[in-house]
């Protein structure tokens, strides 16, 4: 728990007042420039990047004062200042800011991998594997059934025959299974939570992230064979994906050794090195079609478990994350299409509720088999509500790959992700608080309420 | 992505250079000629052109932010105690010296342009600005003293006395660069050549100062809201990026705004804390900026002549300033005064290159780079000569 949440109420309100005043000052300056007609088309991305950094950080501070995760503040600032609300900058400008995503995803994955120690894996392997397996088996099926029940209400599925409808529903089911490693890591990074619930959620989110890719490839291949008349299910595509995943693990292992080697031999300019690695390796992964997230998770795992450089890597990633995550989530908020959400919010809300219920149900199955402790059984599902960039990425692949239905599916996904993105981190922080896994700040030192 | 990778490669090189050879060798002979030379030789279209024009263009936002960042750091490092005690003889010497140097440099540039008008004028054409106006603007930018960089040899060796006194003259000198930009805006720029804000020139100047003060106010509010230094640094980074975007969208030069922002911030305790944390970023950023500047240099015989003329006029001005100082009983160090300000190149880039008139202003940029390089080399040589056998340095080395 940060100081922002433990300070007396008066101090928190005063800080929030200053934060609001600073944001207001910048907004007023922008309005004056636009109102007076001084603005030209140049410099928009720089303005947007600067504004989202400053206002996002302050927004995080504001919501932290009322006990919400900072991430919610970053998202809210992005939503409000973005093209679909007060339009301080346009949609094209926001698109130009996505370069930060490569770095943010690299950092998230590195941190996730570095947090997965062999001790932790040993402790929670059974629980994580069973939960992942049960969720992967049940949740897509449940969600596909929900989707099929709603199909007659949807413009893009109304005309489908049973075979294609089942295939498209399966794609939706897999999309619904995906989580947000970014949001999970951001909440864990902010709260510094430790304990069985933290380990369980982190483990499942990381493992599922890889597993979803495999399931999604299969689902898309099947759906294409149903929707496109002359095409058939190509097992070769799935096998090729397997090869890429294997190559990603090998590349991640090498990268981990390179990072550890640099830390040991050079021992300086860690921040710059990680930024360089983040971008360079992401570019290489895009070229070689490796799974970037998996490469970095494995690299983090290798540094953390096979070398003695774990603390350095986690410190560096955390230092960088504080700034990068603000821009990453604020940009994600700015990209949120409120118009899509406004048009389909009833349907989207229904699917969000159904997904949450199915997550709870499938989690319970896993917990029973793994005989998880009560704290995990009670609260773990709240950590799986978040969805963000990965899910939208899957939806955009579906939009390209599935003619006739892909675009509609992507729009629906964006509406659902919009809601999950906003409520997911709040629910996860609530779960960590209830599970008493967030250390309290006492006189500058953190003390966890969870026994070691 | 390619542009980011190139930028990161430059930044890595900058970091390495600032840790290894930069302090020992590059600082003594002058970073400007070496680093801009690398950019010019390897990356510019007139050199080996390792960087294609598209990527060079996509690096321009980085150049803008880098220039604003350097200007902010110069502003932040304005010594407050000196400003507080700044008055009387010192003020007279600093302001008269700055004005004389400005006038001499502008005069030398204008005369050189007039003498070779037919060919040289085209190298200094800048939208609708006349070569005379350019001469005045360039003179103002070039005249400022960059004592800290050029005197680093002496300061690192523990040299005290004259150099410490000179620090008190520094802010007035760098203020003149901002004044020159304001003068150019007030006197010559037309809205057709720039943006709608220039319909009222006074308003444009007021906006230049106003934006700097507004951002300082925003940072002050942020400092009250955030306790952690790291959070303040993130906000400052954001504000400088925002400032650069705001300046680009209103067609105002970012470096003077950042300088005013920095000077205002330097008077607060937060400013000094931030400077301590951020000082280490100056060299890597400077390396990147200078290499990127090299890409846009329109270096040829005429710009070398113009730059050399500006440098000689500037040195003459500084000699006069030092003489005035000595007559007024101030122990002024001439070699330190000769060194150019760290603000000169960012200010020129910010004024000229950001307006999408790169090709037409490459001559202006080259003139300033040549002038800065010449004065830095002479200053470094004089400082090294002077430091040999100086008891203050010998004592420091023994310590």
């Amino acid at each position: 728990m940060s100081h922002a949440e433990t300070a007396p109420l008066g101090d928190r309100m005063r800080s929030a007042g200053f934060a609001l005043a600073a944001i207001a000052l910048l907004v007023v300056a922008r309005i004056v420039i636009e109102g007076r007609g001084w603005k030209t088309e140049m410099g928009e991305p720089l303005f947007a990047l600067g504004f989202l950094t400053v206002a996002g950080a302050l927004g995080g501070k504001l919501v932290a004062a009322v006990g919400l995760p900072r991430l919610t503040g970053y998202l809210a600032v992005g939503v409000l200042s973005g093209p679909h609300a007060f339009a301080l900058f346009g949609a094209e400008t926001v698109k130009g800011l996505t370069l930060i995503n490569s770095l943010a995803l690299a950092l998230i994955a590195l941190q996730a991998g570095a947090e997965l120690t062999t001790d932790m894996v040993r402790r929670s392997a059974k629980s994580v594997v069973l939960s992942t397996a049960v969720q992967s088996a049940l949740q897509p099926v449940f969600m596909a059934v929900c989707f099929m029940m709603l199909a007659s209400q949807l413009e893009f599925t109304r005309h489908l025959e049973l075979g294609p409808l089942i295939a498209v529903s399966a794609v939706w089911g897999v999309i619904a299974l995906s989580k947000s490693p970014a949001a999970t890591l951001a909440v864990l990074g902010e709260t510094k939570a430790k304990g069985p619930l933290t380990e369980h959620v982190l483990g499942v989110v990381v493992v599922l992230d890889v597993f979803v890719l495999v399931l999604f490839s299969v689902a898309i291949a099947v759906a294409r064979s149903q929707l496109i008349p002359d095409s058939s299910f190509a097992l070769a595509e799935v096998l090729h994906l397997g090869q890429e995943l294997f190559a990603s693990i090998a590349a991640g292992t090498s990268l981990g050794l390179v990072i550890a080697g640099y830390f040991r031999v050079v021992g300086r300019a860690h921040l710059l090195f990680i930024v360089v690695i983040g971008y360079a390796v992401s570019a290489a992964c895009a070229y070689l079609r490796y799974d970037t997230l998996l490469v970095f998770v494995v690299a983090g795992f290798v540094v953390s478990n096979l070398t003695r450089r774990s603390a350095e890597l986690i410190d560096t990633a955390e230092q960088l994350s504080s700034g990068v995550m603000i821009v990453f989530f604020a940009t994600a908020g700015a990209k949120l299409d409120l118009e899509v959400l406004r048009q389909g919010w009833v349907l989207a809300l229904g699917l969000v509720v159904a997904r949450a219920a199915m997550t709870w149900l499938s989690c319970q199955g896993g917990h029973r088999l793994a005989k998880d402790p009560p704290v995990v059984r009670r609260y773990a599902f709240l950590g799986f509500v978040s969805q963000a960039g990965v899910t939208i990425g899957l939806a955009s692949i579906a939009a390209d790959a599935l003619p006739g239905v892909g675009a509609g599916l992507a729009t629906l996904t964006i509406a659902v992700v919009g809601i999950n993105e906003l409520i997911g981190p709040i629910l996860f922080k609530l779960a960590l608080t209830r599970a008493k896994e967030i250390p309290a700040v006492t006189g500058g030192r953190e003390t966890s309420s969870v026994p070691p | 992505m390619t542009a980011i990778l190139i930028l990161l490669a430059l930044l890595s090189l900058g970091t390495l250079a600032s840790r290894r050879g930069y302090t020992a060798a590059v600082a003594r002979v002058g970073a400007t000629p070496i680093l801009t030379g690398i950019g010019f030789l390897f990356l510019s279209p007139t050199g080996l052109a390792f960087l294609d024009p598209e990527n060079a263009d996509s690096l321009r936002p980085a150049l803008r932010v880098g220039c604003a960042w350097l200007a902010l750091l110069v502003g932040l490092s304005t010594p407050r105690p000196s400003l507080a005690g700044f008055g009387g003889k010192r003020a007279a010497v600093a302001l008269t010296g700055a004005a004389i140097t400005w006038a001499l440099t502008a005069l030398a540039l204008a005369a050189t342009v007039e003498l070779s008008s037919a060919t040289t004028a085209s190298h200094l054409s800048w939208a609708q600005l006349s070569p005379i106006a350019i001469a005045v603007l360039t003179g103002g930018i070039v005249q400022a003293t960059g004592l800290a960089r050029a005197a680093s040899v002496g300061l690192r060796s523990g040299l005290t006395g004259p150099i410490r006194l000179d620090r008190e003259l520094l802010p007035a000198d760098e203020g003149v660069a901002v004044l020159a930009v304001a003068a150019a805006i007030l006197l010559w720029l037309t809205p057709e050549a720039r943006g709608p804000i220039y319909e009222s020139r006074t308003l444009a100047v007021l906006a230049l100062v106003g934006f700097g003060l507004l951002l300082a106010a925003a940072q002050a509010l942020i400092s009250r809201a955030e306790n952690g230094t790291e959070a303040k640094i993130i906000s400052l980074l954001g504000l400088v990026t925002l400032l650069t975007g705001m300046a680009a969208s209103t067609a105002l030069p970012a470096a003077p705004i950042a300088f005013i922002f920095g000077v205002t911030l330097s008077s607060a305790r937060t400013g000094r804390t931030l400077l301590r944390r951020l000082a280490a970023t100056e060299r890597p950023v400077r390396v990147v900026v200078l290499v990127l500047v090299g890409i846009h240099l329109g270096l040829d015989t005429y710009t070398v002549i113009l730059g050399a003329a500006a440098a000689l006029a500037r040195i003459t001005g500084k000699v006069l300033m030092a003489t005035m100082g000595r007559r007024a009983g101030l122990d002024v160090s001439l070699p330190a005064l000769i060194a150019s300000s760290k603000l000169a190149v960012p200010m020129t880039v910010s004024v000229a290159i950001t307006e999408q008139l790169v090709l037409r202003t490459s001559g202006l940029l080259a003139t300033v780079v040549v002038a800065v390089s010449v004065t830095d080399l002479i200053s470094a040589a004089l400082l090294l000569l002077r430091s040999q056998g100086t008891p203050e340095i010998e004592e420091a080395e023994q310590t």
Side-chain angles (χ1 to χ4, degrees):
Chain A
M1 197 176 291
S2 68
H3 284 284
E5 293 156 69
T6 53
L9 187 67
D11 288 355
R12 273 189 276 162
M13 289 301 115
R14 209 179 48 174
S15 287
F18 284 124
L20 269 178
I23 295 175
L25 199 61
L26 299 176
V27 172
V28 167
R30 177 66 171 188
I31 290 169
V32 169
I33 288 172
E34 283 201 29
R36 293 235 164 201
W38 294 344
K39 193 168 90 70
T40 63
E41 289 310 306
M42 289 176 69
E44 281 295 276
L46 286 176
F47 171 81
L49 181 63
F51 183 84
L52 289 176
T53 309
V54 178
L58 293 171
K61 175 91 185 171
L62 277 173
V63 299
V66 290
L68 294 176
R70 283 180 182 248
L71 165 56
T72 307
Y74 309 155
L75 286 166
V77 163
V79 171
L80 292 173
S81 59
H84 305 291
F86 290 106
L88 289 181
F89 33 81
E92 278 303 309
T93 307
V94 177
K95 227 181 260 177
L97 299 181
T98 45
L99 269 176
I100 199 86
N101 290 3
S102 302
L103 179 61
L105 290 173
L107 286 174
I108 288 161
L110 265 179
Q111 264 180 285
E115 300 281 356
L116 289 174
T117 58
T118 39
D119 280 350
M120 181 181 149
V121 171
R122 221 174 286 136
R123 260 200 317 269
S124 52
K126 187 180 163 196
S127 164
V128 168
V129 168
L130 284 172
S131 183
T132 307
V134 174
Q135 280 194 57
S136 304
L138 296 184
Q139 202 180 343
V141 177
F142 289 155
M143 288 312 293
V145 171
C146 286
F147 187 84
M148 284 177 74
M149 285 160 66
L150 287 172
S152 59
Q153 307 292 315
L154 298 166
E155 190 76 33
F156 62 95
T157 50
R158 212 171 280 159
H159 64 282
L160 292 178
E161 290 174 17
L162 188 62
L165 180 62
I166 292 174
V168 172
S169 303
V171 172
W172 170 261
V174 177
I175 289 177
L177 178 67
S178 68
K179 321 288 181 210
S180 171
T184 308
L185 255 290
V187 173
L188 291 180
E190 181 196 330
T191 55
K192 312 275 179 224
K194 294 260 184 294
L197 177 65
T198 304
E199 289 180 358
H200 178 85
V201 172
L202 183 64
V204 171
V205 165
V206 170
V207 176
L208 255 182
D209 187 64
V210 178
F211 210 63
V212 161
L213 289 181
V214 181
L215 286 180
F216 184 74
S217 297
V218 176
I220 282 284
V222 172
R224 278 177 69 83
S225 71
Q226 290 292 318
L227 288 168
I228 304 170
D230 294 332
S231 67
S232 57
F233 176 68
L235 189 66
E237 281 180 32
V238 181
L239 287 175
H240 188 61
L241 177 76
Q243 287 168 357
E244 281 169 5
L245 289 176
F246 185 76
S248 303
I249 292 171
T253 310
S254 310
L255 177 64
L257 295 175
V258 168
I259 293 173
Y262 177 88
F263 282 179
R264 184 176 172 176
V265 176
V266 183
R268 287 171 173 175
H270 290 177
L271 291 179
L272 181 62
F273 177 73
I274 293 296
V275 173
V276 172
I277 285 286
Y279 277 112
V281 174
S282 297
C285 287
Y287 182 73
L288 297 166
R289 295 187 61 198
Y290 288 176
D291 179 14
T292 314
L293 223 51
L294 183 60
V295 169
F296 282 105
V297 167
V298 172
F301 184 80
V302 167
V303 174
S304 186
N305 294 284
L306 302 183
T307 74
R308 291 177 191 162
R309 306 286 153 187
S310 166
E312 284 165 78
L313 178 64
I314 291 174
D315 275 358
T316 311
E318 276 181 358
Q319 274 184 49
L320 270 173
S321 294
S322 48
V324 172
M325 290 305 151
I326 295 171
V327 182
F328 177 66
F329 284 109
T331 310
K335 277 195 285 190
L336 202 63
D337 194 337
L338 293 182
E339 187 53 29
V340 169
L341 199 58
R342 194 184 63 79
Q343 283 173 6
W345 72 272
V346 179
L347 208 59
L349 196 63
L351 285 167
V352 166
V353 173
R355 180 176 174 270
M358 296 310 158
T359 306
W360 177 82
L361 204 63
S362 54
C363 278
Q364 292 311 312
H367 298 324
R368 274 177 198 279
L369 287 175
K371 296 188 177 113
D372 283 328
V375 76
V376 175
R377 267 191 238 182
R378 215 170 292 152
Y379 302 117
F381 81 100
L382 292 172
F384 303 131
V385 174
S386 290
Q387 282 188 305
V390 173
T391 315
I392 291 174
L394 296 180
S396 61
I397 294 171
D400 293 337
L402 305 178
V405 295
L409 196 70
T411 308
L412 185 65
T413 308
I414 289 166
V416 172
V417 169
I419 299 171
N420 283 333
E421 197 174 19
L422 290 171
I423 62 167
I426 299 172
L427 292 176
F428 186 32
K429 191 176 177 190
L430 182 74
L432 292 170
T433 311
R434 291 275 171 87
K436 296 182 179 155
E437 293 195 4
I438 301 178
V441 179
T442 49
R445 286 180 306 169
E446 286 177 353
T447 54
S448 177
S449 48
V450 175
Chain B
M1 187 59 107
T2 313
I4 282 207
L5 291 175
I6 294 166
L7 183 67
L8 287 170
L10 286 176
L11 205 54
S12 308
L13 283 176
T15 309
L16 276 177
S18 66
R19 287 185 186 281
R20 299 277 168 181
Y22 189 101
T23 48
V26 183
R28 288 181 194 219
V29 295
T32 311
I34 292 178
L35 296 169
T36 49
I38 289 172
F40 180 72
L41 279 175
F42 293 101
L43 304 176
S44 77
T46 44
L48 295 172
F50 286 155
L51 193 65
D52 59 60
E54 198 185 326
N55 280 322
D57 275 351
S58 54
L59 285 171
R60 203 172 295 160
L63 182 58
R64 285 177 178 169
V65 177
C67 286
W69 187 251
L70 291 177
L72 174 92
L73 291 180
V74 172
L76 263 180
S77 55
T78 305
R80 193 172 70 138
S82 315
L83 277 181
F86 189 72
K89 283 182 200 169
R90 281 186 190 127
V93 170
L95 294 174
T96 319
I100 288 174
T101 316
W102 184 4
L104 277 176
T105 318
L107 207 63
L109 280 167
T112 316
V113 169
E114 283 301 312
L115 285 173
S116 53
S117 57
T119 41
T120 320
S122 65
H123 288 272
L124 279 181
S125 67
W126 178 32
Q128 294 172 25
L129 204 56
S130 71
I132 303 296
I134 285 284
V136 175
L137 175 67
T138 314
I141 291 174
V142 166
Q143 77 77 34
T145 300
L147 174 120
R149 177 160 53 93
S152 60
V153 180
L155 287 172
R156 253 189 226 103
S157 312
L159 193 68
T160 53
I163 284 175
R164 242 186 65 197
L165 275 175
D166 290 342
R167 281 178 67 83
E168 294 167 6
L169 303 178
L170 184 66
D173 258 21
E174 286 179 333
V176 170
V178 177
L179 211 63
V181 174
I185 290 171
L186 265 177
L187 296 174
W188 294 294
L189 295 183
T190 57
E192 297 80 35
R194 316 276 286 174
I197 201 167
Y198 293 95
E199 278 165 16
S200 162
R201 291 168 185 178
T202 319
L203 190 67
V205 174
L206 285 177
L208 196 78
V209 179
F211 282 158
L213 296 177
L214 179 133
L215 292 166
Q219 181 66 35
L221 287 169
I222 291 166
S223 299
R224 302 290 296 269
E226 288 280 9
N227 296 321
T229 310
E230 199 178 318
K232 287 175 194 166
I233 289 174
I234 290 171
S235 298
L236 191 65
L237 274 168
L239 282 178
V240 172
T241 314
L242 183 144
L243 171 165
T244 317
M246 210 187 245
S249 82
T250 49
L252 286 169
I257 301 175
F259 177 71
I260 293 166
F261 177 25
V263 169
T264 317
L265 214 58
S266 74
S267 58
R269 196 190 305 154
T270 317
R272 293 191 294 280
T273 314
L274 288 172
L275 180 66
R276 270 198 294 278
R277 291 286 300 271
L278 298 173
T281 63
E282 193 256 328
R283 278 188 189 159
V285 174
R286 203 171 131 67
V287 171
V288 174
V289 165
L290 288 176
V291 173
L292 291 180
V293 163
I295 301 170
H296 301 293
L297 279 189
L299 206 59
D300 55 26
T301 317
Y302 296 108
T303 49
V304 172
I305 293 171
L306 281 168
L312 288 176
R314 187 178 177 283
I315 291 169
T316 313
K318 295 302 172 190
V319 171
L320 287 173
M321 190 176 175
T323 314
M324 277 193 308
R326 284 191 193 113
R327 282 195 181 167
L330 299 171
D331 194 3
V332 178
S333 154
L334 179 64
L337 279 180
I338 287 174
S340 295
S341 167
K342 287 176 186 177
L343 204 56
V345 173
M347 190 71 88
T348 315
V349 172
S350 200
V351 168
I353 224 167
T354 57
E355 314 312 327
Q356 288 190 322
L357 296 163
V358 178
L359 291 176
R360 301 178 73 181
T361 53
S362 57
L364 170 72
L365 197 56
T367 304
V368 172
V369 166
V370 170
V372 167
S373 303
V374 170
T375 49
D376 280 4
L377 286 168
I378 293 174
S379 162
L382 287 175
L383 267 170
L384 281 174
L385 279 174
R386 208 185 93 166
S387 66
Q388 280 168 5
T390 304
E392 285 164 327
I393 291 182
E394 280 168 8
E395 281 168 24
E397 278 173 352
Q398 280 166 13
T399 314

